[in-house]
Amino acid sequence: MWTKHRGKDFYVVFRSLSRPYRGIQIPGGRVERVENVAQTIIREIKEETGLDTRIVCPLGYMFFENDVDGYSNLQVFYIVRPVYPLDVKKVWQHTDKDESQQKVECWCVPVEENCEFLSHNQHEVIQMFRQWLEEHKKSDTKNQQTQILFDKKVISKK
């Protein structure tokens, strides 16, 4: 989940106080039989952080294959924003609303900080997110430059 504060980009992480061995994670989960991917994203983030969110766009995917036991999975990642402003300096606790009722602690991390502390290779997701931000900022800059040129042409024709 992505949020901005004073021009800086942040993402949300959580740590299970009930299951500390799981480490620090970004919110996510599995699709249930009765829901689509969008519903899963919104539900999982609400369960794990207590925050209401909206989907911005797809980010990417990773495919994992385990040759030892034949297990594989496809993980799909989306960029999600909170519906309401988020205090990036606040640490909050939340009780997961699923059957586990696990207690979690949540906080925001600046995107530019080292993310190797994340569990289960999730630092790779943050790397994908950083790349998306860079590409997005470049396209925003180009759009702004195009708009300035357009505005100058319109003004000069008047």
Side-chain angles (χ1 to χ4, degrees):
M1 178 171 30
W2 167 42
T3 191
K4 289 183 90 60
H5 178 72
R6 296 186 176 173
K8 286 188 154 191
D9 298 298
F10 295 82
Y11 61 96
V12 173
V13 297
F14 74 96
R15 169 184 26 230
S16 174
L17 301 174
S18 308
R19 301 173 184 158
Y21 58 88
R22 289 189 168 180
I24 299 171
Q25 304 174 54
I26 55 177
R30 296 173 193 236
V31 177
E32 294 180 358
R33 292 178 193 239
V34 297
E35 63 187 5
N36 61 40
V37 174
Q39 291 167 324
T40 298
I41 293 164
I42 302 301
R43 175 186 53 77
E44 285 287 350
I45 293 173
K46 179 75 171 182
E47 284 178 1
E48 294 175 349
T49 68
L51 298 173
D52 293 314
T53 56
R54 63 182 173 80
I55 296 171
V56 175
C57 66
L59 175 61
Y61 66 91
M62 284 191 261
F63 182 78
F64 296 94
E65 191 164 23
N66 185 334
D67 293 333
V68 176
D69 62 10
Y71 175 79
S72 64
N73 76 29
L74 176 67
Q75 295 181 1
V76 181
F77 303 97
Y78 284 78
I79 295 176
V80 178
R81 300 284 306 260
V83 171
Y84 305 106
L86 190 56
D87 183 350
V88 298
K89 295 177 183 174
K90 179 181 170 187
V91 175
W92 68 97
Q93 290 188 357
H94 175 72
T95 300
D96 198 329
K97 299 299 183 217
D98 70 4
E99 67 278 352
S100 74
Q101 295 291 299
Q102 72 175 319
K103 296 197 181 330
V104 297
E105 183 175 64
C106 308
W107 67 96
C108 295
V109 177
V111 169
E112 71 273 1
E113 282 189 13
N114 184 330
C115 58
E116 295 292 324
F117 61 88
L118 290 168
S119 298
H120 313 295
N121 295 323
Q122 291 182 343
H123 65 279
E124 294 177 24
V125 179
I126 301 306
Q127 295 294 64
M128 239 190 305
F129 179 52
R130 287 175 179 157
Q131 183 178 350
W132 180 87
L133 280 171
E134 284 304 312
E135 291 169 4
H136 190 71
K137 287 176 183 176
K138 286 177 190 173
S139 66
D140 278 355
T141 302
K142 285 181 185 178
N143 289 340
Q144 289 171 354
Q145 290 171 343
T146 302
Q147 186 63 44
I148 290 168
L149 289 173
F150 177 77
D151 291 345
K152 284 182 179 179
K153 286 181 182 178
V154 170
I155 290 170
S156 64
K157 288 183 178 183
K158 288 185 178 179

